[in-house]
Amino acid sequence: TGDDEGSGDRLLADAEEVTSRLAELKHREAMRHPITDLITREPFLAKVQTELTLGAPASGVLGAVRFADYERLAAFDQDAADEALRAFAKRLQGAVSGNRPLAQVDRACFAIWFCPETVSAAGAELQARSYVLGQELTGESYQLTPDIESGAAADLGDGEEAAVLLARALAALTR
């Protein structure tokens, strides 16, 4: 009957809505790292690109920090590595001022957008953060003094893409 068709259409529309909402939630989930809950590479790059495109009032510097112990620890105990990564990320969040975008851009690599900022001031901030991050981490199944690598790349105001800036910062990682 006509009523049966109407309720069938309504059920189909409801199912499509549920599917759409699930897809949206999965998309949002991918925008946050599952271990640290920090934003991931793509939303971070989108924010930096927006600031680069809008022509921020002063140049910016993209800093990168790597928790170098993660891979070694993961080879022995993945759960301990994830716990240490979570603690490291929490410490990094505490060290980064609230107005600086921070993201986890790779397994054990984090990026900070210093804008507006001079290269020397951003370098000093990055070095100070590296000192704080290098303090001993202790967890249920690990105790380590983190091996930290850091690097930075400056926006030269020449229309460089955010992804290129990040690649340059990651290439500059040094202990």
Side-chain angles (χ1 to χ4, degrees):
T1 66
D3 288 337
D4 290 339
E5 286 178 27
S7 52
D9 289 344
R10 190 177 46 189
L11 284 173
L12 182 59
D14 288 345
E16 287 174 357
E17 172 136 2
V18 167
T19 302
S20 172
R21 288 186 183 200
L22 283 173
E24 182 182 330
L25 287 174
K26 283 187 179 194
H27 176 69
R28 277 196 220 155
E29 203 173 79
M31 298 178 88
R32 294 233 167 242
H33 192 275
I35 296 171
T36 63
D37 199 39
L38 290 171
I39 64 170
T40 56
R41 177 186 297 254
E42 295 310 316
F44 176 77
L45 289 176
K47 178 166 184 47
V48 172
Q49 189 62 51
T50 298
E51 290 192 18
L52 290 172
T53 303
L54 293 176
S59 63
V61 176
L62 200 149
V65 176
R66 178 181 290 141
F67 175 42
D69 296 298
Y70 179 77
E71 297 300 329
R72 288 187 296 270
L73 192 53
F76 295 104
D77 185 343
Q78 186 64 53
D79 291 336
D82 290 348
E83 183 185 342
L85 183 66
R86 191 175 299 110
F88 181 85
K90 187 174 182 173
R91 185 178 286 175
L92 179 59
Q93 281 180 291
V96 173
S97 62
N99 62 341
R100 301 246 189 253
L102 168 66
Q104 185 165 355
V105 295
D106 203 358
R107 264 175 79 122
C109 290
F110 302 86
I112 308 164
W113 178 233
F114 298 93
C115 183
E117 200 63 78
T118 64
V119 173
S120 60
E125 278 192 54
L126 198 54
Q127 186 174 8
R129 282 169 180 71
S130 292
Y131 174 77
V132 169
L133 295 170
Q135 303 301 311
E136 185 175 81
L137 282 174
T138 303
E140 202 171 291
S141 56
Y142 68 88
Q143 180 176 356
L144 62 97
T145 302
D147 186 11
I148 309 301
E149 299 172 349
S150 62
D155 166 35
L156 304 175
D158 58 0
E160 190 167 46
E161 296 288 317
V164 173
L165 201 57
L166 177 60
R168 286 183 36 231
L170 292 173
L173 288 171
T174 58
R175 290 174 198 242

